Amino acid sequence: MNALSIPTWMVHVSSVVEWIAAIWFIWRFAEVSGESAWKALSFAMLPALVSAMCACTWHFFDNPTSLNWLVTTQAAMTVVGNCTLCAAAWWIWRARRAQESHD
């Protein structure tokens, strides 16, 4: 737990909490607006959340070499998350275009 300072821990933890809140708010927006394509964005945000949790876990245990696999998992989840976020943005764009063509 000594690997990071208290202010750095505050940034890490608040970022994870904010990301979880963003996922929830986007899901609620999809429900309230009836635009279900936005739910894809909520799901697409999950790999980035896993990435952040890997980083926090690794730092929590003082960055031991025995947990280096968490660093690899974090990197992989960042790449996967970027791809899923891109796909979700495309999904939302496509849904909006389809909706506009029907109006």
Side-chain angles (χ1 to χ4, degrees):
M1 190 79 178
N2 298 320
L4 302 178
S5 67
I6 297 297
T8 304
W9 270 115
M10 290 170 57
V11 169
H12 274 60
V13 172
S14 66
S15 295
V16 170
V17 171
E18 289 169 359
W19 199 251
I20 292 168
I23 291 169
W24 183 78
F25 282 126
I26 291 167
W27 187 271
R28 290 292 300 139
F29 172 77
E31 290 180 338
V32 170
S33 69
E35 297 182 40
S36 61
W38 284 85
K39 289 183 179 180
L41 182 59
S42 287
F43 282 114
M45 294 172 75
L46 293 176
L49 179 60
V50 171
S51 174
M53 292 175 146
C54 286
C56 288
T57 302
W58 191 60
H59 289 316
F60 182 80
F61 291 106
D62 293 328
N63 311 336
T65 55
S66 62
L67 294 180
N68 275 349
W69 62 271
L70 281 172
V71 177
T72 305
T73 304
Q74 179 198 7
M77 288 294 97
T78 298
V79 171
V80 170
N82 290 343
C83 293
T84 58
L85 287 168
C86 181
W90 174 80
W91 189 272
I92 293 167
W93 173 78
R94 191 184 75 152
R96 176 63 68 162
R97 271 190 56 186
Q99 183 182 32
E100 288 172 357
S101 69
H102 285 82
D103 291 341

